[in-house]
Amino acid sequence: MTMTHQEPLLAIEDLHAAYGLSRVLFGVSLQVDAGECVCLLGRNGVGKTTTMRSVMGFLPPTGGRILWKGTNIAGWSPHRVARAGIGFVPEDRRIFAELTVWENLDVAARAAKRDGKWTIKAVYELFPILPELRGRRGGFLSGGEQQMLTIARTLMGNPELLLLDEPSEGLAPLVVEALLVHIRALKKQGMTILLAEQGVDFSLALADRVYVLEKGTIRYTGPAGELRDDQKLRNHLLSL
Ligand SMILES: Nc1ncnc2c1ncn2[C@@H]1O[C@H](COP(=O)(O)OP(=O)(O)OP(=O)(O)O)[C@@H](O)[C@H]1O
Ligand SMILES: [Mg+2]
Protein backbone atom coordinates (compact mmCIF):
# COMPACT_ATOMS: atom_id res chain seq x y z
CA MET A 1 0.00 0.00 0.00
CA THR A 2 1.32 3.42 -0.89
CA MET A 3 0.72 6.46 1.27
CA THR A 4 -0.27 9.13 -1.19
CA HIS A 5 -2.76 10.92 1.02
CA GLN A 6 -2.02 13.16 3.90
CA GLU A 7 -3.41 11.64 7.08
CA PRO A 8 -6.86 13.01 7.99
CA LEU A 9 -7.05 15.07 11.14
CA LEU A 10 -9.97 12.99 12.39
CA ALA A 11 -10.88 9.54 11.14
CA ILE A 12 -13.82 7.73 12.70
CA GLU A 13 -13.76 4.04 11.78
CA ASP A 14 -16.68 1.67 12.25
CA LEU A 15 -17.93 3.45 15.35
CA HIS A 16 -20.52 1.71 17.48
CA ALA A 17 -22.20 3.37 20.45
CA ALA A 18 -25.06 2.64 22.80
CA TYR A 19 -26.92 4.09 25.74
CA GLY A 20 -27.06 1.08 28.01
CA LEU A 21 -28.67 -1.70 26.01
CA SER A 22 -30.04 0.71 23.43
CA ARG A 23 -27.71 0.69 20.43
CA VAL A 24 -27.53 3.94 18.53
CA LEU A 25 -24.51 3.90 16.19
CA PHE A 26 -23.94 0.92 13.91
CA GLY A 27 -20.55 1.36 12.29
CA VAL A 28 -20.19 5.05 11.48
CA SER A 29 -17.08 5.92 9.46
CA LEU A 30 -16.10 9.43 8.47
CA GLN A 31 -13.06 11.60 7.95
CA VAL A 32 -12.23 15.24 8.40
CA ASP A 33 -9.14 16.70 6.79
CA ALA A 34 -7.34 19.76 8.13
CA GLY A 35 -9.04 22.95 6.99
CA GLU A 36 -12.23 21.24 5.89
CA CYS A 37 -15.77 21.93 6.97
CA VAL A 38 -17.59 18.62 7.04
CA CYS A 39 -21.28 18.33 7.82
CA LEU A 40 -23.11 15.46 9.41
CA LEU A 41 -26.66 15.79 8.16
CA GLY A 42 -29.64 13.81 9.24
CA ARG A 43 -33.04 13.90 10.77
CA ASN A 44 -34.02 13.86 14.39
CA GLY A 45 -32.49 11.09 16.46
CA VAL A 46 -30.24 9.49 13.81
CA GLY A 47 -27.14 9.79 15.99
CA LYS A 48 -25.42 13.07 15.13
CA THR A 49 -25.00 14.20 18.72
CA THR A 50 -24.08 10.69 19.81
CA THR A 51 -21.26 10.63 17.24
CA MET A 52 -19.89 13.88 18.64
CA ARG A 53 -20.29 12.78 22.25
CA SER A 54 -18.37 9.61 21.44
CA VAL A 55 -15.54 11.60 19.90
CA MET A 56 -15.44 13.89 22.95
CA GLY A 57 -15.34 10.97 25.36
CA PHE A 58 -18.71 11.64 27.00
CA LEU A 59 -19.95 8.32 25.66
CA PRO A 60 -17.15 5.77 25.23
CA PRO A 61 -17.81 3.77 22.06
CA THR A 62 -18.69 0.08 22.22
CA GLY A 63 -16.66 -0.56 19.09
CA GLY A 64 -14.53 1.01 16.41
CA ARG A 65 -11.74 3.55 16.41
CA ILE A 66 -11.53 7.31 16.65
CA LEU A 67 -8.23 8.35 15.16
CA TRP A 68 -7.01 11.85 15.98
CA LYS A 69 -3.88 12.56 13.94
CA GLY A 70 -3.44 8.82 13.75
CA THR A 71 -3.82 8.09 17.47
CA ASN A 72 -6.83 6.12 18.66
CA ILE A 73 -8.54 8.33 21.23
CA ALA A 74 -11.64 6.15 21.66
CA GLY A 75 -12.38 5.95 25.38
CA TRP A 76 -10.24 8.91 26.38
CA SER A 77 -11.75 11.24 28.98
CA PRO A 78 -13.41 14.46 27.70
CA HIS A 79 -10.70 16.46 29.42
CA ARG A 80 -7.94 14.60 27.62
CA VAL A 81 -9.72 14.86 24.26
CA ALA A 82 -10.08 18.63 24.72
CA ARG A 83 -6.40 18.92 25.62
CA ALA A 84 -5.53 17.01 22.48
CA GLY A 85 -7.17 19.79 20.48
CA ILE A 86 -10.85 18.99 19.90
CA GLY A 87 -13.37 21.61 20.99
CA PHE A 88 -17.06 20.84 21.40
CA VAL A 89 -19.96 23.29 21.13
CA PRO A 90 -22.94 21.33 22.49
CA GLU A 91 -26.44 21.89 21.19
CA ASP A 92 -27.72 23.13 24.54
CA ARG A 93 -25.33 26.14 24.70
CA ARG A 94 -23.94 25.73 28.17
CA ILE A 95 -22.97 29.25 29.17
CA PHE A 96 -23.04 30.61 32.71
CA ALA A 97 -26.32 32.55 32.96
CA GLU A 98 -25.20 34.49 36.04
CA LEU A 99 -21.87 35.59 34.58
CA THR A 100 -21.39 38.42 32.09
CA VAL A 101 -20.18 37.82 28.56
CA TRP A 102 -16.67 38.90 29.54
CA GLU A 103 -16.70 36.70 32.67
CA ASN A 104 -17.86 33.71 30.63
CA LEU A 105 -14.90 34.22 28.31
CA ASP A 106 -12.50 34.87 31.15
CA VAL A 107 -13.48 31.60 32.84
CA ALA A 108 -12.87 29.79 29.55
CA ALA A 109 -9.50 31.51 29.10
CA ARG A 110 -8.38 30.45 32.57
CA ALA A 111 -9.53 26.90 32.01
CA ALA A 112 -7.74 26.66 28.64
CA LYS A 113 -4.92 24.16 28.72
CA ARG A 114 -3.65 24.89 25.25
CA ASP A 115 -1.78 27.90 23.96
CA GLY A 116 -2.77 29.50 20.71
CA LYS A 117 -4.05 32.57 19.00
CA TRP A 118 -7.48 32.67 20.60
CA THR A 119 -7.73 35.41 23.20
CA ILE A 120 -10.72 37.46 24.33
CA LYS A 121 -9.57 40.14 21.88
CA ALA A 122 -9.48 37.64 19.03
CA VAL A 123 -12.97 36.27 19.68
CA TYR A 124 -14.28 39.85 20.00
CA GLU A 125 -12.94 40.47 16.50
CA LEU A 126 -14.64 37.36 15.16
CA PHE A 127 -17.96 38.18 16.86
CA PRO A 128 -18.15 42.00 17.02
CA ILE A 129 -21.45 41.87 18.90
CA LEU A 130 -19.73 40.31 21.94
CA PRO A 131 -17.66 43.35 23.01
CA GLU A 132 -20.84 45.43 22.83
CA LEU A 133 -22.48 42.96 25.20
CA ARG A 134 -19.46 42.37 27.41
CA GLY A 135 -21.23 43.50 30.61
CA ARG A 136 -24.46 41.62 29.98
CA ARG A 137 -25.22 38.42 31.86
CA GLY A 138 -25.46 35.23 29.85
CA GLY A 139 -29.03 34.67 30.89
CA PHE A 140 -30.09 37.94 29.26
CA LEU A 141 -28.64 37.18 25.83
CA SER A 142 -30.75 36.20 22.83
CA GLY A 143 -30.42 32.71 21.39
CA GLY A 144 -28.09 33.92 18.63
CA GLU A 145 -25.92 35.86 21.06
CA GLN A 146 -25.71 32.82 23.33
CA GLN A 147 -24.67 30.68 20.40
CA MET A 148 -21.89 33.10 19.48
CA LEU A 149 -20.72 33.23 23.10
CA THR A 150 -20.72 29.44 23.28
CA ILE A 151 -18.57 29.17 20.17
CA ALA A 152 -16.30 31.94 21.44
CA ARG A 153 -15.85 30.13 24.77
CA THR A 154 -14.89 26.93 23.03
CA LEU A 155 -12.40 28.79 20.83
CA MET A 156 -10.67 30.06 23.98
CA GLY A 157 -9.47 26.49 24.45
CA ASN A 158 -7.55 26.80 21.16
CA PRO A 159 -8.95 23.71 19.46
CA GLU A 160 -7.64 22.48 16.11
CA LEU A 161 -10.99 20.91 15.34
CA LEU A 162 -14.34 22.39 16.30
CA LEU A 163 -17.36 20.14 16.71
CA LEU A 164 -20.46 22.29 16.27
CA ASP A 165 -23.70 20.57 17.25
CA GLU A 166 -26.76 22.16 15.61
CA PRO A 167 -25.58 25.77 15.83
CA SER A 168 -28.62 27.08 13.91
CA GLU A 169 -31.21 25.26 16.01
CA GLY A 170 -34.01 27.47 17.29
CA LEU A 171 -32.62 30.66 15.74
CA ALA A 172 -34.56 33.10 13.55
CA PRO A 173 -33.53 33.14 9.85
CA LEU A 174 -31.77 36.49 10.07
CA VAL A 175 -29.80 35.35 13.09
CA VAL A 176 -28.85 32.16 11.28
CA GLU A 177 -27.56 34.31 8.38
CA ALA A 178 -25.37 36.30 10.76
CA LEU A 179 -24.05 33.15 12.37
CA LEU A 180 -23.25 31.75 8.95
CA VAL A 181 -21.09 34.77 8.14
CA HIS A 182 -19.12 34.34 11.37
CA ILE A 183 -18.58 30.61 10.97
CA ARG A 184 -17.44 31.22 7.39
CA ALA A 185 -14.93 33.75 8.68
CA LEU A 186 -13.71 31.19 11.19
CA LYS A 187 -13.28 28.64 8.44
CA LYS A 188 -11.40 31.16 6.32
CA GLN A 189 -8.97 31.57 9.21
CA GLY A 190 -8.19 27.90 8.79
CA MET A 191 -10.36 26.28 11.44
CA THR A 192 -11.35 22.69 10.77
CA ILE A 193 -15.04 22.13 11.51
CA LEU A 194 -17.30 19.13 11.93
CA LEU A 195 -20.87 20.35 11.92
CA ALA A 196 -24.01 18.42 12.90
CA GLU A 197 -27.18 19.87 11.44
CA GLN A 198 -30.78 19.27 10.55
CA GLY A 199 -30.80 22.57 8.70
CA VAL A 200 -29.97 21.60 5.12
CA ASP A 201 -29.57 25.10 3.72
CA PHE A 202 -27.34 26.16 6.58
CA SER A 203 -25.07 23.14 6.26
CA LEU A 204 -24.85 23.23 2.48
CA ALA A 205 -23.93 26.91 2.65
CA LEU A 206 -20.97 26.07 4.86
CA ALA A 207 -19.79 22.55 4.21
CA ASP A 208 -17.18 21.27 1.78
CA ARG A 209 -18.35 17.70 2.20
CA VAL A 210 -21.39 16.05 3.64
CA TYR A 211 -22.25 12.78 5.34
CA VAL A 212 -25.90 11.86 5.65
CA LEU A 213 -26.60 9.78 8.70
CA GLU A 214 -29.62 7.52 8.93
CA LYS A 215 -30.44 5.35 11.92
CA GLY A 216 -26.88 5.18 13.11
CA THR A 217 -25.20 4.47 9.77
CA ILE A 218 -23.80 6.63 6.99
CA ARG A 219 -26.25 6.59 4.12
CA TYR A 220 -24.46 8.94 1.73
CA THR A 221 -21.24 10.87 1.45
CA GLY A 222 -20.18 13.39 -1.16
CA PRO A 223 -19.19 16.97 -1.88
CA ALA A 224 -21.68 19.54 -0.57
CA GLY A 225 -22.02 20.88 -4.12
CA GLU A 226 -23.56 17.61 -5.26
CA LEU A 227 -26.42 17.93 -2.77
CA ARG A 228 -26.72 21.65 -3.45
CA ASP A 229 -27.19 21.07 -7.18
CA ASP A 230 -29.30 17.94 -7.06
CA GLN A 231 -32.64 18.55 -5.44
CA LYS A 232 -33.87 15.06 -6.28
CA LEU A 233 -30.97 13.48 -4.44
CA ARG A 234 -31.49 15.87 -1.56
CA ASN A 235 -35.17 14.99 -1.29
CA HIS A 236 -34.38 11.33 -1.61
CA LEU A 237 -31.78 11.37 1.13
CA LEU A 238 -33.42 13.75 3.53
CA SER A 239 -37.10 13.32 2.60
CA LEU A 240 -37.72 17.04 2.60
N1 LIG B 1 -28.97 9.95 27.04
C1 LIG B 1 -29.63 9.10 26.24
N2 LIG B 1 -30.13 7.93 26.72
C2 LIG B 1 -30.79 7.08 25.94
N3 LIG B 1 -30.99 7.26 24.63
C3 LIG B 1 -30.53 8.39 24.09
C4 LIG B 1 -29.82 9.37 24.86
N4 LIG B 1 -29.47 10.38 24.05
C5 LIG B 1 -29.94 10.06 22.83
N5 LIG B 1 -30.56 8.87 22.84
C6 LIG B 1 -31.17 8.20 21.69
O1 LIG B 1 -30.15 7.93 20.74
C7 LIG B 1 -30.61 8.17 19.42
C8 LIG B 1 -29.70 9.17 18.73
O2 LIG B 1 -29.77 10.40 19.40
P1 LIG B 1 -28.87 11.66 19.03
O3 LIG B 1 -29.12 12.67 20.07
O4 LIG B 1 -27.49 11.24 18.79
O5 LIG B 1 -29.52 12.09 17.64
P2 LIG B 1 -29.34 13.40 16.80
O6 LIG B 1 -29.09 12.98 15.40
O7 LIG B 1 -28.36 14.30 17.44
O8 LIG B 1 -30.79 14.05 16.86
P3 LIG B 1 -31.25 15.58 16.98
O9 LIG B 1 -31.30 16.09 15.58
O10 LIG B 1 -32.60 15.49 17.59
O11 LIG B 1 -30.28 16.31 17.83
C9 LIG B 1 -32.06 8.63 19.56
O12 LIG B 1 -32.89 7.53 19.34
C10 LIG B 1 -32.15 9.10 20.98
O13 LIG B 1 -33.45 8.90 21.48
MG1 LIG C 1 -28.45 16.18 18.21
Side-chain angles (χ1 to χ4, degrees):
M1 202 168 90
T2 49
M3 295 286 286
T4 48
H5 280 73
Q6 203 190 338
E7 188 173 69
L9 199 54
L10 178 74
I12 298 178
E13 295 179 353
D14 195 28
L15 184 66
H16 290 251
Y19 295 98
L21 291 176
S22 166
R23 297 176 63 195
V24 172
L25 300 183
F26 302 87
V28 169
S29 298
L30 66 84
Q31 294 192 358
V32 185
D33 290 333
E36 266 193 314
C37 178
V38 171
C39 184
L40 203 50
L41 263 173
R43 296 164 70 95
N44 233 319
V46 293
K48 303 181 297 293
T49 298
T50 303
T51 302
M52 290 191 164
R53 296 189 71 228
S54 295
V55 171
M56 286 315 295
F58 293 116
L59 183 72
T62 51
R65 302 200 303 168
I66 301 167
L67 300 175
W68 172 247
K69 300 178 184 176
T71 300
N72 188 9
I73 62 167
W76 283 22
S77 71
H79 183 74
R80 200 172 166 205
V81 173
R83 276 190 85 140
I86 306 181
F88 181 41
V89 180
E91 56 191 327
D92 56 4
R93 297 168 203 162
R94 251 165 277 161
I95 54 170
F96 297 113
E98 299 302 318
L99 301 187
T100 65
V101 165
W102 183 84
E103 286 166 343
N104 266 281
L105 293 171
D106 187 51
V107 167
R110 286 165 198 275
K113 296 288 194 298
R114 292 168 54 86
D115 292 331
K117 70 169 187 174
W118 291 104
T119 57
I120 294 186
K121 188 165 170 276
V123 297
Y124 277 178
E125 276 167 24
L126 183 69
F127 298 110
I129 188 82
L130 292 183
E132 290 174 28
L133 299 168
R134 59 164 74 81
R136 189 168 301 178
R137 289 188 189 194
F140 291 94
L141 299 175
S142 71
E145 292 159 359
Q146 285 189 5
Q147 185 59 270
M148 290 179 203
L149 179 57
T150 310
I151 297 172
R153 273 184 48 131
T154 304
L155 288 175
M156 300 299 288
N158 285 298
E160 283 175 70
L161 167 69
L162 198 59
L163 307 182
L164 283 177
D165 196 0
E166 308 242 12
S168 76
E169 193 186 14
L171 302 182
L174 275 177
V175 180
V176 171
E177 278 299 314
L179 190 64
L180 195 62
V181 169
H182 294 312
I183 299 178
R184 272 219 191 95
L186 185 59
K187 182 179 179 242
K188 220 172 195 165
Q189 292 182 28
M191 181 61 76
T192 309
I193 298 169
L194 177 61
L195 184 70
E197 266 291 337
Q198 285 194 55
V200 181
D201 293 341
F202 183 83
S203 14
L204 293 183
L206 267 178
D208 301 304
R209 287 191 306 114
V210 171
Y211 292 88
V212 176
L213 200 57
E214 197 177 278
K215 292 184 193 144
T217 57
I218 300 292
R219 165 109 192 263
Y220 162 89
T221 180
E226 188 167 276
L227 276 187
R228 265 196 299 266
D229 298 342
D230 191 340
Q231 199 189 340
K232 259 193 182 155
L233 178 67
R234 211 162 56 223
N235 291 350
H236 175 65
L237 288 170
L238 298 158
S239 334
L240 296 169

